[in-house]
Each structure stands twice: as structure tokens, then as C-alpha cells.
Amino acid sequence: MRGVIIFGSSRSHGNTRKVVDLLLDQLKFDLIDLKEKNIAPFDYDFKNSEDDFIPTISEVVEKYDLILFATPVYWYSMSGILKNFFDRISDCLKTEKEIGRKLRGMSLAAISCGYDQQTVAGFHEPFEYSANYLGMKYKGFLHTWIKDDAEVEVEVKTAIHTFGKSLIENQ
Ligand SMILES: Cc1cc2nc3c(=O)[nH]c(=O)nc-3n(C[C@H](O)[C@H](O)[C@H](O)COP(=O)(O)O)c2cc1C
């Protein structure tokens, strides 16, 4: 299985990245850092079609079987950077239908990193519902936390490892 982590934090080397790096060590997935991309919000007139979204999603559907979305918790939700990317998946249902068809059958999972040990109820639902809507296989969600920009706690490391293992074993 070839997997990619689509990482959407407002800082490339912050807390979510610590969690992502543990998964990269374990899974040997590739990484796409959305902070390095120029991806505009969804536009009904598709005037942003020349930005980085189409090349990025095209590469993803050509090269990978599994997308693992990684996001910090910002205001009880996924980050704005990642939400923009999600909204732009609508392009694949309108002007880029061939890409949309290739998403079908792929797998999707998600991981979050917050300050609080828990997320609000339903945090994972946009990921699960979007996977279902797109005909993708939903492989689950893990919430992690880091206090005061510290190192990743052992309990969190163990949970990440178990989650990573489940992604490999439960294809
Ligand atoms: C704009 C903003 C909003 C936040 N909202 C929440 C929140 O709702 N719940 C929470 O647990 N932590 C919240 N936090 C804390 C971050 O989720 C936490 O510090 C996370 O580990 C940051 O990851 P990052 O370094 O990749 O941005 C917020 C942080 C920021 C900057």
C-alpha cells in the first residue's frame, strides 16, 4: 500500500508535525505539506484553477492508495488550510471529474493534534462522511494532544503507533 500524509497546519514544524514525523518513521508514507502550497478557497467560477490544487490532487490519485489527513485542532475543527483543501475536492466533482473517479476506492484516514486530550464530539465526522460521499474506504481517526509545545507523551506515542499499525494491517 502506498500512502500519503496530507498535512494542514499553519506551521510546518509545530506540534502536528511531531505527530506526523512519528507516523512517517513508522509507515514510510510520503508527505504533502499544504503550507507549502498555494491553494485558494473553493470558487464557484473556478477562477483559481491555475493554483496548486489540481496538480496536487492529480499526483495523489495517481500515486497513492491511502490518504491520511493530519490537522491541528483550531477552534474545535480541522485547520482552515485543510478545510480549503477539502472544499476544493468539489472541483473533482465538477470540472475535474476524472480525478474524482480515481478517488473512488482509495482509503482515507485522519489524525488530529490539539491541546486538549479530547476533541469535541463529531470532530471526525467530516472525514468519515466525506470518505463515504466520495466512495472512499474510511480507515479511522485518531486524536492526539501536545501540551505547551512539549514533546509527545508516551501515551500519545503508543496511540500513534497502534493507529499506524492498524492502517497497515487493515487495508
Ligand atoms: C487558532 C488556534 C485555535 C486553537 N483551538 C484549539 C481548540 O479548539 N482545541 C484544542 O484542544 N486546542 C486548540 N488549539 C491548540 C492547538 O490545537 C495545539 O497547540 C496544536 O498542537 C497545534 O498544532 P500546530 O503546532 O501544528 O499548529 C488552538 C491553537 C490555535 C493556534
Side-chain angles (χ1 to χ4, degrees), residues 7 9-11 14-17 72-76 113-116 118 146 149:
F7 164 56
S9 172
S10 287
R11 51 181 180 176
N15 293 339
T16 311
R17 182 58 182 266
V73 179
Y74 291 161
W75 291 104
Y76 313 101
C113 178
Y115 181 88
D116 294 337
Q118 268 138 17
I146 293 180
D149 296 343

Side-chain angles (χ1 to χ4, degrees), residues 17-66:
R17 182 58 182 266
K18 292 175 195 165
V19 169
V20 162
D21 283 345
L22 288 169
L23 282 163
L24 289 174
D25 282 349
Q26 181 184 358
L27 298 173
K28 312 292 175 218
F29 282 8
D30 289 339
L31 176 70
I32 294 173
D33 180 358
L34 294 179
K35 186 91 168 65
E36 293 174 357
K37 305 280 182 186
N38 170 33
I39 296 179
F42 176 74
D43 178 13
Y44 278 97
D45 297 322
F46 303 102
K47 287 183 180 151
N48 49 23
S49 59
E50 299 301 312
D51 72 9
D52 290 338
F53 177 72
I54 300 298
T56 303
I57 193 74
S58 299
E59 184 187 350
V60 167
V61 297
E62 290 306 328
K63 282 173 66 176
Y64 303 105
D65 311 303
L66 183 147

Side-chain angles (χ1 to χ4, degrees), residues 76-78 119-129 138 141:
Y76 313 101
S77 311
M78 74 174 79
T119 54
V120 288
F123 184 95
H124 69 284
E125 287 181 353
F127 300 102
E128 183 170 3
Y129 283 48
Y138 183 62
F141 166 75

